[in-house]
Amino acid sequence: MSGAELKGDRTDAAVVAAIRSGDEHGMAALYDRYSAVVYSVALRVLGDTGAAEDVLQEVFMQLWRNPGLFDSSRGSLGPWLAVIARHRAIDGLRKRRPETDIADVVVSVEPDMAGDAERARAMEKVRGTLGSMPSPQRQALEMAYFEGLSHSEISEKTGEPLGTIKTRIRSGLLALRKAFAT
Amino acid sequence: MSLHEQFAEDLALYALGTLQGEERAVLEKHLEGCAGCRRELEQLRGDMALMALSTAGPVPPQRARQRLIEAVAREPRRAAVAARSRWWTVVPWVVAGALAVGLVVVWLQNSDLQQRIAGLQNESAQQLSELQRAREVVSTLTATDAMRVTLVAAKTPPQPQGKAIYVRDRSSLIFLASNLQPLPPQKAYELWLIPTSGAPIPAGVFKPDAHGSAAVVEPPLPAGVQAKAFAITVEPESGSSVPTLPIVMVGAGE
């Protein structure tokens, strides 16, 4: 399987199969499809282009070294990479050892983010949903997601009760899900 | 099955990786036995993936792509070969480790030092001999240039055949097949271990060579599963976690 073949409309499953067989072009194809998603979330968390590039490199190399980490029957590749990248970036931000076992991460979501147009539409919808959230709810969700702060830390920073923060975080995530419910 | 509301908020924090201490331990214990809450956790991670999209826009510099490609080139990988060679390459180290420990014990017990050393040397020689034989057997089974002949009753056309040799206590499996039909594009055969109870367990994805021969050696399997049968299905190249019907080959234990 050549890189040219992979760049077209190959499914994620075909790209992963290429990587499993040790095809280096498969990695290039995977990078071209998902590097922006991985990099942008790492950059938002870390606020440093060099550190974000390190996360990008680490996430893709982990998959190259052990493609069995991703099980295509348990979710889509793009969302899985986005979640792993966010975990790794938060680990870097908080200067801690990786706390999440990648092999255990199952991600269930629509859309699967494989196509550029599909990703762009989803991006607009997510931004619209976040924009329409009450400010305190968006703030709590963003502090938990992009700063990796616990509900206790957010509660201390905002002066809001713990229970309120917990509720805001969960309902914020559910609002995103609802926006994509058919 | 639905999620348990008392865990709903903690599940969100757990997905985000910020739930700690006893709350985390309690939730993880609950997740082990609750499919509804595990499903909710998967969906919360999906919500997190959507959240990542809100940052989309920045693209990494060209040098990052080059860096990855160079790193990949420095670590060429041949997964199948690595998997096949894994278990017997460990054996010399195990033998060497056992010898070293054994020799220290002998040194401490000086009463029959010479006798014990001689015994260990004999044992070592025997183990090395067994190791050599094991290597030769596996090498013959998996050699790409091996001549593979399937014997059938005279005047019978060759049929697809598979032979699975499974040792439950070691979770060790060797599977050899011959005369397999060619596969459609982007498909592969998948071997399944059918346990005496529970769902089929994936036991390796493989493609036959030009002669229809294939081998699966030492696929990763859960420990100590009692096998009732083995089966083959046609699956996507990346493999499946549940078999896709029809079953193209099947055989029960003798």
Side-chain angles (χ1 to χ4, degrees):
Chain A
M1 193 178 292
S2 74
E5 283 176 302
L6 285 168
K7 280 179 184 172
D9 296 327
R10 303 299 297 228
T11 62
D12 281 351
V15 174
V16 171
I19 292 169
R20 282 190 175 162
S21 69
D23 182 352
E24 295 171 16
H25 296 301
M27 280 303 288
L30 181 77
Y31 180 93
D32 291 341
R33 189 171 290 178
Y34 291 120
S35 60
V37 171
V38 171
Y39 177 76
S40 60
V41 71
L43 182 61
R44 171 71 187 271
V45 169
L46 294 162
D48 177 274
T49 54
E53 284 175 44
D54 288 345
V55 169
L56 180 67
Q57 175 91 353
E58 182 193 350
V59 168
F60 281 98
M61 283 307 289
Q62 270 191 292
L63 195 61
W64 170 247
R65 288 174 185 135
N66 190 358
L69 288 172
F70 172 71
D71 180 349
S72 57
S73 69
R74 299 164 76 201
S76 302
L77 184 56
W80 184 82
L81 284 168
V83 171
I84 298 301
R86 183 265 172 190
H87 278 312
R88 289 293 169 263
I90 293 290
D91 290 338
L93 184 71
R94 311 214 81 179
K95 303 196 184 326
R96 68 189 184 194
R97 293 170 61 80
E99 290 198 343
T100 305
D101 185 348
I102 289 182
D104 290 342
V105 172
V106 181
V107 179
S108 172
V109 69
E110 293 291 340
D112 70 5
M113 303 185 187
D116 291 343
E118 190 179 32
R119 257 198 318 271
R121 276 196 301 275
M123 183 183 79
E124 285 308 312
K125 198 179 272 192
V126 168
R127 286 180 175 167
T129 306
L130 283 172
S132 62
M133 273 182 201
S135 179
Q137 182 178 36
R138 187 176 65 248
Q139 186 187 26
L141 181 57
E142 290 186 338
M143 288 170 95
Y145 189 88
F146 293 119
E147 298 176 41
L149 296 180
S150 69
H151 54 291
S152 311
E153 291 168 323
I154 297 171
S155 173
E156 279 173 27
K157 281 198 169 193
T158 61
E160 300 275 6
L162 271 177
T164 305
I165 298 299
K166 280 186 172 186
T167 304
R168 282 180 181 159
I169 291 171
R170 176 168 185 258
S171 55
L173 288 171
L174 293 187
L176 293 175
R177 189 186 311 173
K178 194 176 171 188
F180 287 84
T182 50
Chain B
M1 194 179 291
S2 60
L3 89 152
H4 292 90
E5 278 301 325
Q6 68 269 34
F7 291 110
E9 288 172 348
D10 280 355
L11 271 171
L13 302 175
Y14 184 73
L16 285 158
T18 62
L19 191 68
Q20 300 295 338
E22 191 182 342
E23 288 171 311
R24 178 176 174 145
V26 168
L27 180 60
E28 285 183 336
K29 177 112 184 117
H30 173 73
L31 281 170
E32 286 174 13
C34 182
C37 285
R38 284 201 301 274
R39 174 70 187 151
E40 173 64 10
L41 178 62
E42 292 168 14
Q43 292 194 325
L44 284 162
R45 285 182 171 137
D47 304 335
M48 288 173 60
L50 293 174
M51 187 74 185
L53 284 179
S54 71
T55 68
V59 293
Q62 184 61 26
R63 65 170 179 270
R65 187 179 196 276
Q66 191 59 31
R67 179 183 169 194
L68 179 73
I69 288 170
E70 287 173 3
V72 165
R74 279 196 300 273
E75 293 185 33
R77 181 170 48 74
R78 294 183 65 189
V81 172
R84 283 180 181 187
S85 62
R86 187 177 62 240
W87 69 271
W88 68 78
T89 54
V90 173
V91 173
W93 295 103
V94 173
V95 172
L99 258 181
V101 171
L103 285 171
V104 169
V105 171
V106 168
W107 181 72
L108 292 171
Q109 298 173 346
N110 56 10
S111 60
D112 54 354
L113 184 62
Q114 294 301 325
Q115 189 181 346
R116 282 172 177 264
I117 289 176
L120 280 171
Q121 283 175 334
N122 284 340
E123 190 181 334
S124 168
Q126 190 179 342
Q127 285 176 330
L128 287 171
S129 170
E130 288 173 1
L131 168 64
Q132 182 63 30
R133 180 166 161 68
R135 277 183 171 157
E136 286 170 2
V137 169
V138 174
S139 170
T140 302
L141 286 173
T142 59
T144 55
D145 58 348
M147 178 180 173
R148 291 184 173 80
V149 180
T150 303
L151 304 184
V152 297
K155 297 182 182 175
T156 305
Q159 294 291 317
Q161 290 193 339
K163 189 70 138 180
I165 303 159
Y166 176 60
V167 182
R168 174 192 172 186
D169 290 348
R170 298 203 301 266
S171 301
S172 178
L173 173 63
I174 294 176
F175 174 78
L176 300 169
S178 55
N179 300 320
L180 295 176
Q181 295 294 318
L183 287 157
Q186 298 177 38
K187 295 287 186 183
Y189 288 112
E190 185 156 7
L191 176 63
W192 302 91
L193 184 158
I194 316 290
T196 47
S197 65
I201 298 167
V205 178
F206 62 94
K207 288 188 168 187
D209 63 18
H211 305 291
S213 298
V216 176
V217 178
E218 295 289 298
L221 289 171
V225 176
Q226 178 75 46
K228 181 171 64 180
F230 289 86
I232 303 286
T233 58
V234 176
E235 306 290 346
E237 287 173 323
S238 55
S240 298
S241 57
V242 291
T244 305
L245 295 177
I247 292 171
V248 295
M249 295 173 74
V250 66
E254 295 167 352

